[in-house]
């Protein structure tokens, strides 16, 4: 089954991976960015979140659990407890120290460091992950169920292809869609500042990045093929669920932003999601709205774990896969991101002030302190909308009708019906404070929706909290 509307709760590695592991939105797992100070793999995260990840819960009911690849960006750093730290709930652990590499890296092998060099046959990370995964399949117990999470850094930078794939896709360039190399008018200032049209050097850079990303994925294809063949040889393929997805999207030239993620648009928040397994009919496509916070609950549901015992914000989409036609499903999800900036000016970009970051190539900045936003992404029978608010001096609002404007060229915040705008504003605030079951309440365009603003403030009023400026505007 292909999920054509699969999204991430935050379009950045560590917050997104934390949402996958915990089944929770960033405002509940408190990972803001890829730094220790942003709670990425911090001691606080290890204490409050790691014991309750879905793999830890699987382990608690007798599953053999296996991890190989990139875990969280700060994993293995001294401040995060070093390589010796093996998160609870993993029977077998092969985790990359810190962020993405292909050669010259260190793996934590069940808490012991194993250093790799730059010999392709022994060290190319995607192939190493493939080999340890095949070893696990061959040597695991046949008397207990198993769960494997294989997290290849590919196609993350530095985009180092295997030698046999270095000349693949030489004629490929990044897609030239309707929002490629166009000025992002009526958008947040960070998008408006991008140089449009892009310089030739920026276009060459992003085309090269796109090509190299594809080259690295050929080794991921090999890994997937090897695993499926091994499952088939062992007679386990027909009794195994396989999920294929990513932790964020990526842009290459949309709205004249050369390369990165982090933005609120479809190209950064939407991800592939394909699932095969027992009871799923082949070649199905569903438009149902799912998010990465749903992966944990779905896998726990498959394992027979009682989801009422968890505090997960996501929902199991197992019913969608097994009984696609008779399921009352959600109509909206939350996307949230906290912007990052630098306290000092970039010496390579002397005209830029502090407060921005990721200013490459050609001093086009991809992030800033006030690139902090939250969105309601809605997909209902008659509506395909995105409503976003920025936490900045303007309280800038962006709204898109994805049906009429799939490239998100036209911000309709000033022309959309005022009643819809107010309902979306209230719905956003409700989702931003939701936890567990309250994240599953009906969205604005769900027939079961009831507009009751008082409910939104019930907890705050009971606890004597004051209302925010955004609430009162």
């Amino acid at each position: 089954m292909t999920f054509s509307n699969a999204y991430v709760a935050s379009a950045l590695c560590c917050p997104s991976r934390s949402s996958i592991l915990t089944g929770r939105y960033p405002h509940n797992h408190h990972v803001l960015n890829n730094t220790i100070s942003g709670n990425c793999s911090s001691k606080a995260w290890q204490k409050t979140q790691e014991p309750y990840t879905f793999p830890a819960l699987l382990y608690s009911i007798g599953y053999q659990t296996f991890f190989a690849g990139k875990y969280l960006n700060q994993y293995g750093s001294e401040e995060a407890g070093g390589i010796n730290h093996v998160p609870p709930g993993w029977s077998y652990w092969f985790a990359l120290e810190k962020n993405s590499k292909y050669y010259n890296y260190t793996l934590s092998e069940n808490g012991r460091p194993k250093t790799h060099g730059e010999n392709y046959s022994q060290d190319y990370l995607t192939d190493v992950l493939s080999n340890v995964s095949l070893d696990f399949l061959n040597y695991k117990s046949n008397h207990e169920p198993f769960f494997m999470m294989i997290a290849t850094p590919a196609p993350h930078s530095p985009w180092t292809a295997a030698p046999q794939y270095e000349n693949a896709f030489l004629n490929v360039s990044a897609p030239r869609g309707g929002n490629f190399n166009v000025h992002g008018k009526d958008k947040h200032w960070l998008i408006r500042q991008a140089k449009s049209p892009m310089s030739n050097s920026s276009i060459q850079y992003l085309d090269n990045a796109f090509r190299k990303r594809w080259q690295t994925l050929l080794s991921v294809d090999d890994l997937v093929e090897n695993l499926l063949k091994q499952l088939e040889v062992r007679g386990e393929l027909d009794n195994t669920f396989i999920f294929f997805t990513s932790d964020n999207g990526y842009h290459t030239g949309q709205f004249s932003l050369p390369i990165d993620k982090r933005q609120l648009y479809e190209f950064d928040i939407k991800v592939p999601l394909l699932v095969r397994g027992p009871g799923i009919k082949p070649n199905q496509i569903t438009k149902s709205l799912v998010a990465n916070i749903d992966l944990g609950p779905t896998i726990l549901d498959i394992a027979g774990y009682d989801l009422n015992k968890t505090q997960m914000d996501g929902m199991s989409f197992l019913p969608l896969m097994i009984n696609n036609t008779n399921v009352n499903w959600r109509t909206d999800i939350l996307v949230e991101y906290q912007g990052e900036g630098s306290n000092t000016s970039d010496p390579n970009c002397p005209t830029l002030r502090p407060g921005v970051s990721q200013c490459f190539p050609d001093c086009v900045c991809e992030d800033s302190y006030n690139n902090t936003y939250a969105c309601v992404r809605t997909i209902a029978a008659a509506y395909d909308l995105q409503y976003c608010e920025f936490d900045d001096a303007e309280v800038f609002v962006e709204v898109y009708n994805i049906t009429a404007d799939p490239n998100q060229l036209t911000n309709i915040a000033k022309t959309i019906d005022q009643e819809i705008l107010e309902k979306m504003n209230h719905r956003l605030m409700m989702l931003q404070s939701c936890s567990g079951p309250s994240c599953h309440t009906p969205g604005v365009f769900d027939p079961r929706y009831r507009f009751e603003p008082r409910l939104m403030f019930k907890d705050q009023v009971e606890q004597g909290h004051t209302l925010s400026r955004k609430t009162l505007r």
Side-chain angles (χ1 to χ4, degrees):
M1 176 176 270
T2 299
F3 289 81
S4 59
N5 289 309
Y7 291 84
V8 293
S10 191
L12 186 64
C13 316
C14 203
S16 181
R17 287 162 181 262
S18 301
S19 285
I20 291 171
L21 289 163
T22 62
R24 308 181 88 185
Y25 283 122
H27 69 262
N28 287 326
H29 63 58
H30 308 297
V31 177
L32 304 178
N33 53 46
N34 294 340
T35 67
I36 285 282
S37 61
N39 208 27
C40 179
S41 202
S42 70
K43 293 286 181 69
W45 152 268
Q46 292 170 18
K47 185 177 180 180
T48 62
Q49 304 295 325
E50 267 188 346
Y52 309 104
T53 63
F54 80 86
L57 299 179
L58 287 175
Y59 182 81
S60 74
I61 58 171
Y63 269 72
Q64 302 167 85
T65 55
F66 169 92
F67 182 87
K70 175 180 170 179
Y71 180 57
L72 300 172
N73 297 55
Q74 295 296 327
Y75 172 78
S77 66
E78 215 171 293
E79 305 96 315
I83 289 287
N84 304 65
H85 173 67
V86 177
W90 293 102
S91 320
Y92 301 90
W93 180 254
F94 298 87
L96 178 67
E97 179 188 33
K98 298 186 181 176
N99 205 0
S100 304
K101 289 184 177 180
Y102 296 79
Y103 293 111
N104 299 311
Y105 56 86
T106 301
L107 287 181
S108 170
E109 295 193 353
N110 297 313
R112 295 182 302 274
K114 174 75 180 292
T115 302
H116 286 261
E118 47 191 27
N119 181 321
Y120 168 71
S121 62
Q122 296 175 351
D123 301 315
Y124 188 68
L125 182 56
T126 309
D127 293 356
V128 169
L129 299 180
S130 178
N131 292 336
V132 295
S133 300
L134 293 172
D135 285 347
F136 170 75
L137 280 180
N138 287 328
Y139 297 115
K140 68 178 175 60
S141 163
N142 293 327
H143 305 296
E144 298 166 317
F146 70 94
F147 168 76
M148 303 174 72
M149 179 180 275
I150 304 161
T152 65
H156 199 287
S157 61
W159 315 310
T160 310
Q164 67 270 32
Y165 296 134
E166 285 174 348
N167 294 315
F169 308 123
L170 292 182
N171 296 319
V172 166
S173 54
R176 268 45 172 178
N179 51 16
F180 179 83
N181 203 13
V182 299
H183 178 59
K185 62 176 184 177
D186 300 327
K187 290 175 168 48
H188 190 238
W189 76 268
L190 187 67
I191 310 302
R192 299 196 305 266
Q193 59 86 36
K195 297 167 184 173
S196 192
M198 290 181 287
S199 67
N200 288 336
S201 60
S202 281
I203 292 174
Q204 286 172 5
Y205 184 83
L206 68 88
D207 277 339
N208 187 51
F210 187 86
R211 191 178 304 117
K212 287 182 173 242
R213 283 162 61 81
W214 271 24
Q215 291 170 355
T216 68
L217 284 174
L218 289 172
S219 294
V220 178
D221 280 353
D222 293 339
L223 179 155
V224 171
E225 182 180 18
N226 293 339
L227 280 170
L228 264 71
K229 281 183 174 176
Q230 192 61 31
L231 286 168
E232 194 166 29
V233 165
R234 293 179 56 83
E236 294 177 316
L237 183 59
D238 292 338
N239 194 35
T240 302
F241 283 87
I242 301 167
F243 294 71
F244 185 89
T245 190
S246 182
D247 57 351
N248 50 252
Y250 204 71
H251 58 258
T252 46
Q254 291 93 330
F255 299 131
S256 298
L257 299 168
I259 60 158
D260 200 32
K261 49 246 183 178
R262 306 168 203 267
Q263 310 307 335
L264 58 84
Y265 307 102
E266 294 284 279
F267 44 74
D268 283 0
I269 63 173
K270 199 169 190 178
V271 291
L273 175 59
L274 302 93
V275 188
R276 64 162 287 164
I280 303 176
K281 294 173 186 170
N283 301 317
Q284 291 187 89
I285 298 176
T286 178
K287 294 181 179 179
S288 298
L289 179 62
V290 297
N292 60 351
I293 57 170
D294 300 328
L295 292 168
T298 302
I299 292 166
L300 288 172
D301 196 12
I302 289 168
Y305 193 91
D306 182 0
L307 296 179
N308 292 322
K309 292 181 178 177
T310 75
Q311 276 300 305
M312 293 186 174
D313 304 330
M315 301 162 62
S316 168
F317 54 77
L318 180 60
L320 290 176
M321 299 192 289
I322 304 301
N323 183 21
N324 195 12
T325 49
N326 301 313
V327 181
N328 247 338
W329 192 245
R330 69 149 75 89
T331 58
D332 63 13
I333 56 159
L334 175 69
V335 178
E336 47 193 354
Y337 177 71
Q338 180 154 325
E340 291 181 87
S342 172
N343 291 327
T344 57
S345 296
D346 186 337
N348 297 314
C349 304
T351 61
L352 298 176
R353 295 180 179 180
V356 292
S357 62
Q358 312 296 320
C359 302
F360 64 90
D362 293 330
C363 294
V364 174
C365 301
E366 301 273 1
D367 207 2
S368 66
Y369 283 128
N370 65 0
N371 185 38
T372 297
Y373 60 80
C375 305
V376 182
R377 183 67 181 90
T378 297
I379 297 179
Y383 290 90
D384 191 347
L385 282 178
Q386 186 177 18
Y387 173 91
C388 302
E389 286 186 12
F390 283 85
D391 186 10
D392 63 3
E394 297 177 278
V395 194
F396 197 83
V397 176
E398 295 189 28
V399 185
Y400 298 98
N401 178 350
I402 309 295
T403 306
D405 180 23
N407 291 311
Q408 296 173 290
L409 298 170
T410 307
N411 179 7
I412 58 172
K414 293 178 180 173
T415 57
I416 194 171
D417 181 88
Q418 189 64 28
E419 185 184 352
I420 291 179
L421 208 60
E422 286 180 18
K423 285 183 177 178
M424 296 301 281
N425 169 260
H426 284 287
R427 179 63 179 164
L428 177 61
M429 286 189 284
M430 193 166 180
L431 284 174
Q432 281 184 283
S433 61
C434 78
S435 179
S438 65
C439 299
H440 310 161
T441 54
V444 169
F445 300 106
D446 188 311
R448 299 165 292 174
Y449 175 74
R450 295 291 177 268
F451 182 43
E452 298 181 66
R454 285 174 305 161
L455 291 182
M456 193 168 44
F457 307 126
K458 183 167 173 268
D459 292 341
Q460 287 96 322
V461 171
E462 284 175 357
Q463 294 168 26
H465 290 178
T466 57
L467 304 183
S468 70
R469 174 178 55 80
K470 270 203 274 191
T471 306
L472 295 171
R473 74 185 173 87

